[in-house]
Amino acid sequence: MEANTKLKITVDHNKCVGSTICISLAPKVFSLNKEGQSIVIDAEGETLKNILNAADNCPLSAIKIFDENGKCLFPPD
């Protein structure tokens, strides 16, 4: 899956502590909002591999990734 595939990425702000790990691993996808929590700025800005790596490294598992059909790609079942 390439970066231009439609993905839906969500960040649970009840979990996110703003560690910025996702930003360091996928800087074209994630940024911080004014509360210091991660937000998605461009779901197609990085390869799926980089986005999955960022989600996997989130210390509180606040990131979910869905494909264009709504299938959950992360976290795994």
Side-chain angles (χ1 to χ4, degrees), residues 15-75:
K15 292 181 178 181
C16 179
V17 294
S19 71
T20 71
I21 293 170
C22 61
I23 296 169
S24 67
L25 296 173
K28 295 178 184 174
V29 175
F30 299 98
S31 186
L32 291 181
N33 64 14
K34 64 182 179 178
E35 288 80 27
Q37 294 178 304
S38 293
I39 57 170
V40 178
I41 54 172
D42 182 2
E44 300 172 35
E46 299 273 354
T47 63
L48 178 59
K49 180 180 177 181
N50 286 357
I51 297 168
L52 288 170
N53 188 39
D56 189 41
N57 281 282
C58 177
L60 292 168
S61 302
I63 301 169
K64 290 188 178 183
I65 304 167
F66 302 89
D67 71 11
E68 59 191 5
N69 298 314
K71 178 183 175 194
C72 185
L73 302 176
F74 192 90

